[in-house]
Amino acid sequence: MTQCEIHRDPTASVEDRVIDLMSLMTTTEKVAQMMQLPAWSNPRGVIERHPVGSLLHTDPATIDDAIDAAAATRLGIPLLIAEDAIHGFGFWPGATIFGTPLSMACSFNPEAVERAARITAREVSATGVTWTFSPLACVARELRWGRVAETFGEDPHLIGELAVAMVRGYRGSGDDDPTRILSCAKHFAGYSETQGGLDASEADLSPRKLRSWFLPPFERLAKEGADTFMLGYQAIDGVPITLNRWLLEGVLKQEWGFGGLLVTDWDNVGQLVRVQQVAADFAEAAALAVHAGNDLIMSTPEFHDGALEALRRGLLKPSDLDGAVRRILSVKFRLGLFEDPRRPDVARQRIEIGCQQHRAANLDLASQSIVLLTNDGVLPLRGEAVKVAVIGPQADDMAACLGDWAGASGQCPWLDDPSLAPATTLLKGLRAAAPSGWEIAHARGCGIDVLVPNPAGEFFDDGQPRPKICHPAPLGDAELAEAVTLARRCDVAVVAVGDTINLTGEGRSTATLELFGPQRELVDAIAATGTPMVVVLLNSKPLVLPESARRAAAIVESFNPGAAGGDALAAVLLGEREPSGRLPVSIPRHAGQLPVFHNRIRGWHGDRYADLTYRPLFAFGEGLSYTTFEYSDLRATHVGDDLEVCVTLTNTGDRVGTEVVQLYVQDVVTSVTWAEQELKAFRRVTLDPGVSRELSFTIPVAELSIVLADGSRVVEPGEFEVRMGHSSKPEDQLRHRLWIA
């Protein structure tokens, strides 16, 4: 075997294969390997223009052609094919679509989330896709932000637990597992801390604030095996993340030891010229991006010519490209793509995608993610010949269950037909599950929104379509009257309200959190009938509820629960499954309270406004069951390097139920200001009526650290308070103090 054939030898080391292949590559081919471009329905055209290293948004029908086109290039370097499989493979007909990450987070169940990611990997890998842009590890404190649904909520510990679980699920048994896909931790870092909720606005974050709350989930992902990191759109303290060497080189690579790929988000490098205007042209932007340590440049076709021009000007040296190309090729060799480019497997698709086992797991996770917020006893629904009015614009809308990045959400032109990504709606779920003799009647009552053209034009400067503008849907008197009449003649009214795909997602932040359009008038009108009202929220993020909804007989939060959402809601409303979801994010009383979150910094006059309490309407960790639980005998002991905590939990009701036990810790006196409390552990516990169980938790003392003014993390000796209970609310917690030296 000659030297130039080593890269084709599967028995050679990855390092030797990379060195050999790079010795054969031209500078132009290296630049092309650093490019990731959308293929849509023409991957061959993209690859024939530039032998790119990666494609995204590739029409599934063309993936075989994309692989063939890559194989036909001079060196035949295989592709990394990426897609936004955020909560299931939302862009494949019939795939298993789970609830959004925010919905999944309500389960407080890392094992179930890992199972969902494993199912996603099995389905995705059968289609020829090798890389998902998930999980998102942003901390959601600004709820007007359009991408809250993609997060696991407001708490760094919960986010870290669930994000790491997803990475494990995507990985499977490792590189040799044919069902393994690459994971992507995003958006590094601080992207969610926007100004006024506006997506991709400059993030007002100090290095200490980053280290305290926004970096810990990413540090866990870096150290526990995330394959890639995606960089946020925004800038911090004037420096775009794409160019932030302190974060990329200093923190991520040097401190945390991350050696995987860095990929920009969509056109980050182009926006250095077009929007942020920190580069004069694409040659300068390309040079800055390479020097900052970026590997794959997503959706900036100008990078190719810009990088070559930067080389001609001396802004880049040819060797400056080698680190990125080495990392890209290493991933491809580790995955075995040179021997098996992982073509679509039709036989596996027929067996795996949307199979009964996957649908059952989806129903389980959706059921565990439904949060019962209030209940005067109307739930579970029971009785003989019950008449149920199912009302509201979300009651029979599949998109309300699927949410963003799925079905006809707008990011996927080959899946515009909603029937290709079916979901069970609330109405269909209740009709299928209701006892014989029940009447399940329906009236929409009102719409939510209508779209009008964007006054700034149909397209952005880079050719991407601008989102249209949402206006409130008109209130139809006849449609509202039909819903009111139906509610009056029924025993209970289940009113489903929320938001739409037009009001959520990338580039779709909202100025308020109120129920949009005429939904408030609908809820007010149904409440005025006197019929017991159950409000079901099908929404992308927490919404501010009108007083009529707050006084409802019950409030159920389901966010966007996925394709099995209607079945899961019906099972919970009818008492066939116990509600066990808990809020991963606080629900404010008013958007003016934002940000409102449980682990806020202790302040002076920060406990209320002159006209409103600071306390949210519903706090992080809240959620009811159809039974009741009691905590007792809380004990905490410092043993070696660990904090040992024990508590007794008793089911004091008359039904089996699942409690989410939550352990918080407060450092009582700190040398710098710090959080009122921090979540350090949680556990789902199922108990039969009358049964007690002693639970024990072990917390490494190192996790009781705080961040000092210089950015260092230390555990300060002193008094700590352990808080154990049903939620983050003080009245739901037992407390125990101890000294840690």
Side-chain angles (χ1 to χ4, degrees):
M1 180 174 293
T2 64
Q3 175 69 22
C4 63
E5 293 177 327
I6 291 175
H7 73 279
R8 291 292 179 186
D9 180 6
T11 66
S13 70
V14 168
E15 182 179 1
D16 286 344
R17 297 179 78 180
V18 169
I19 292 172
D20 179 54
L21 182 54
M22 288 184 65
S23 72
L24 305 175
M25 297 176 71
T26 66
T27 300
T28 300
E29 286 169 330
K30 290 179 179 180
V31 169
Q33 274 297 298
M34 294 179 65
M35 297 177 69
Q36 181 185 70
L37 294 179
W40 306 118
S41 297
N42 185 29
R44 183 171 291 274
V46 173
I47 293 166
E48 288 177 350
R49 183 176 181 185
H50 304 300
V52 298
S54 179
L55 295 176
L56 76 161
H57 295 335
T58 309
D59 185 335
T62 67
I63 286 181
D64 258 322
D65 193 38
I67 292 171
D68 289 340
T73 59
R74 187 179 78 88
L75 295 173
I77 301 174
L79 293 163
L80 292 173
I81 299 179
E83 193 52 90
D84 287 282
I86 306 299
H87 50 110
F89 198 4
F91 301 149
W92 186 275
T96 306
I97 310 302
F98 294 91
T100 57
L102 189 64
S103 171
M104 289 191 224
C106 295
S107 71
F108 277 66
N109 190 338
E111 292 78 16
V113 171
E114 179 178 347
R115 186 160 55 249
R118 183 87 287 272
I119 287 169
T120 298
R122 296 191 69 90
E123 297 192 1
V124 165
S125 62
T127 71
V129 171
T130 50
W131 184 7
T132 177
F133 297 133
S134 168
L136 190 146
C138 295
V139 177
R141 290 179 170 179
E142 173 49 86
L143 301 181
R144 292 171 296 177
W145 183 47
R147 306 190 74 170
V148 171
E150 296 179 55
T151 77
F152 291 120
E154 71 184 40
D155 184 82
H157 178 75
L158 178 64
I159 294 167
E161 290 288 307
L162 299 182
V164 166
M166 292 201 90
V167 167
R168 289 194 299 263
Y170 294 142
R171 182 190 304 131
S173 59
D175 288 340
D176 295 332
D177 185 342
T179 68
R180 179 247 210 280
I181 58 176
L182 298 175
S183 58
C184 183
K186 67 180 191 182
H187 301 80
F188 189 69
Y191 171 46
S192 56
E193 193 75 345
T194 73
Q195 295 187 23
L198 287 172
D199 190 30
S201 58
E202 179 116 354
D204 188 12
L205 286 163
S206 66
R208 179 174 180 258
K209 188 174 180 181
L210 267 169
R211 287 190 182 276
S212 298
W213 318 113
F214 294 86
L215 292 185
F218 286 103
E219 183 175 6
R220 286 203 58 189
L221 287 166
K223 293 183 176 180
E224 299 199 30
D227 300 293
T228 67
F229 268 57
M230 181 185 289
L231 310 184
Y233 289 117
Q234 89 288 6
I236 296 177
D237 201 19
V239 181
I241 296 297
T242 315
L243 308 180
N244 195 316
R245 289 183 59 83
W246 172 72
L247 271 176
L248 306 189
E249 191 67 35
V251 175
L252 181 57
K253 295 180 181 180
Q254 294 181 12
E255 287 187 30
W256 300 348
F258 178 74
L261 295 181
L262 296 187
V263 59
T264 73
D265 207 336
W266 189 281
D267 196 30
N268 276 14
V269 173
Q271 301 305 337
L272 298 175
V273 179
R274 281 187 271 265
V275 175
Q276 292 167 318
Q277 297 180 318
V278 296
D281 55 30
F282 293 108
E284 187 176 328
L288 290 169
V290 171
H291 285 308
N294 294 277
D295 297 320
L296 275 163
I297 311 302
M298 181 196 289
S299 301
T300 303
E302 297 93 345
F303 174 77
H304 184 273
D305 292 348
L308 295 179
E309 175 64 20
L311 288 162
R312 284 190 287 271
R313 291 189 203 169
L315 301 175
L316 284 175
K317 303 187 299 293
S319 60
D320 292 334
L321 307 175
D322 289 349
V325 177
R326 185 180 299 112
R327 286 185 288 272
I328 293 166
L329 296 179
S330 294
V331 170
K332 295 180 179 184
F333 281 121
R334 285 203 310 272
L335 288 178
L337 296 180
F338 283 81
E339 291 71 52
D340 176 11
R342 303 203 179 190
R343 292 181 179 275
D345 187 331
V346 176
R348 272 190 57 210
Q349 292 169 17
R350 290 171 180 160
I351 295 170
E352 296 259 14
I353 294 180
C355 69
Q356 178 56 43
Q357 182 182 9
H358 293 179
R359 291 199 302 270
N362 193 9
L363 177 60
D364 285 342
L365 180 52
S367 301
Q368 293 177 29
S369 301
I370 292 169
V371 186
L372 179 62
L373 292 174
T374 65
N375 185 22
D376 69 358
V378 68
L379 296 180
L381 301 175
R382 53 202 178 274
E384 296 183 3
V386 176
K387 295 179 181 178
V388 181
V390 184
I391 294 169
Q394 305 291 71
D396 197 30
D397 186 350
M398 289 194 296
C401 290
L402 295 176
D404 201 11
W405 297 109
S409 56
Q411 300 100 338
C412 174
W414 56 85
L415 203 63
D416 285 339
D417 183 353
S419 67
L420 296 176
T424 304
T425 65
L426 170 61
L427 176 64
K428 289 181 173 63
L430 280 171
R431 282 180 169 166
S436 176
W438 283 38
E439 178 187 348
I440 308 296
H442 172 240
R444 192 175 75 131
C446 71
I448 297 179
D449 58 8
V450 293
L451 293 178
V452 301
N454 194 310
E458 188 176 356
F459 297 99
F460 290 106
D461 292 342
D462 64 355
Q464 291 299 304
R466 292 182 189 272
K468 293 185 177 180
I469 305 300
C470 283
H471 282 193
L475 178 62
D477 293 339
E479 195 173 32
L480 178 62
E482 178 190 13
V484 169
T485 299
L486 178 62
R488 283 180 175 146
R489 75 172 184 82
C490 287
D491 302 304
V492 63
V494 177
V495 182
V497 292
D499 55 21
T500 72
I501 197 64
N502 304 318
L503 293 160
T504 185
E506 191 169 341
R508 293 188 180 95
S509 300
T510 56
T512 73
L513 297 177
E514 308 295 326
L515 284 178
F516 199 79
Q519 293 183 100
R520 177 170 185 160
E521 288 89 336
L522 173 65
V523 174
D524 289 347
I526 302 304
T529 67
T531 301
M533 181 172 66
V534 176
V535 173
V536 174
L537 298 168
L538 286 152
N539 48 327
S540 64
K541 57 187 178 183
L543 298 176
V544 171
L545 299 180
E547 191 61 37
S548 57
R550 299 181 196 185
R551 295 197 306 266
I555 302 173
V556 177
E557 175 61 84
S558 59
F559 292 113
N560 303 117
D567 290 325
L569 277 165
V572 169
L573 294 178
L574 296 171
E576 296 170 1
R577 294 188 183 232
E578 297 295 308
S580 61
R582 302 294 183 262
L583 287 178
V585 64
S586 302
I587 298 180
R589 301 170 187 272
H590 190 283
Q593 292 178 298
L594 297 178
V596 57
F597 50 94
H598 80 92
N599 54 335
R600 68 190 184 107
I601 302 296
R602 297 182 287 233
W604 197 303
H605 291 153
D607 63 338
R608 68 163 296 115
Y609 300 94
D611 56 347
L612 189 68
T613 176
Y614 176 77
R615 296 190 68 176
L617 181 63
F618 298 107
F620 175 88
E622 274 201 80
L624 302 175
S625 303
Y626 289 149
T627 187
T628 53
F629 294 93
E630 181 179 285
Y631 290 77
S632 61
D633 196 22
L634 174 62
R635 307 181 305 281
T637 309
H638 180 201
V639 181
D641 293 332
D642 296 322
L643 178 65
E644 303 286 349
V645 182
C646 297
V647 73
T648 299
L649 180 70
T650 303
N651 182 344
T652 56
D654 57 5
R655 291 177 64 116
V656 65
T658 298
E659 172 73 323
V660 178
V661 179
Q662 301 161 46
L663 191 161
Y664 300 85
V665 174
Q666 179 197 47
D667 190 340
V668 178
V669 178
T670 51
S671 61
V672 291
T673 57
W674 196 244
E676 169 64 23
Q677 62 181 1
E678 295 179 274
L679 181 70
K680 295 297 181 184
F682 56 88
R683 186 179 305 164
R684 290 175 61 91
V685 181
T686 301
L687 294 178
D688 289 329
V691 172
S692 297
R693 183 183 303 171
E694 183 175 275
L695 308 172
S696 62
F697 297 81
T698 300
I699 310 297
V701 169
E703 293 189 11
L704 306 183
S705 61
I706 66 171
V707 177
L708 301 181
D710 64 3
S712 61
R713 267 197 179 269
V714 300
V715 178
E716 294 187 326
E719 192 174 25
F720 289 79
E721 183 171 87
V722 174
R723 303 176 178 183
M724 184 81 79
H726 175 72
S727 80
S728 64
K729 294 182 351 184
E731 57 266 35
D732 287 342
Q733 300 170 335
L734 294 181
R735 302 189 181 202
H736 177 90
R737 289 196 175 191
L738 76 162
W739 187 273
I740 295 180

